[in-house]
Amino acid sequence: VGGPHDHNADVMVTVRRWGYTERIYTIHEGQWNFADVERKEGDTFLIPAGRIHEIIVLPHGECWTQVVPGPEVREWRFWLS
């Protein structure tokens, strides 16, 4: 849903309704790796600036989150998948 991207700031996220599956990418020696993480209603977590990720499953077609960004530290980036 939107493709791999990172953020310009650390972001604190709380899932308020429903949930989603997030794919988190790492790049090591030019090799892309990923881990899928299920985010459930009530979860609170930090997405650090620069973490490459994307939402890959919305079981209810949508979800509601509360997002609190920190100070901007870099530019946003969208990555080709």
Side-chain angles (χ1 to χ4, degrees):
V1 181
H5 65 279
D6 58 30
H7 293 267
N8 61 341
D10 292 346
V11 178
M12 185 64 69
V13 179
T14 300
V15 179
R16 295 291 182 198
R17 180 151 184 152
W18 301 309
Y20 60 91
T21 303
E22 173 184 21
R23 180 162 286 166
I24 300 171
Y25 296 92
T26 56
I27 305 171
H28 181 70
E29 297 181 0
Q31 177 70 36
W32 282 70
N33 301 293
F34 66 86
D36 294 343
V37 179
E38 190 174 341
R39 303 296 190 182
K40 298 179 182 178
E41 190 170 314
D43 286 354
T44 297
F45 54 93
L46 179 71
I47 301 173
R51 173 180 284 166
I52 305 166
H53 69 131
E54 67 179 317
I55 295 173
I56 60 169
V57 177
L58 285 167
H60 297 277
E62 65 179 0
C63 73
W64 298 357
T65 58
Q66 178 181 2
V67 177
V68 179
E72 185 174 327
V73 296
R74 59 187 309 282
E75 294 290 321
W76 287 75
R77 179 181 279 176
F78 285 87
W79 298 77
L80 298 176
S81 55

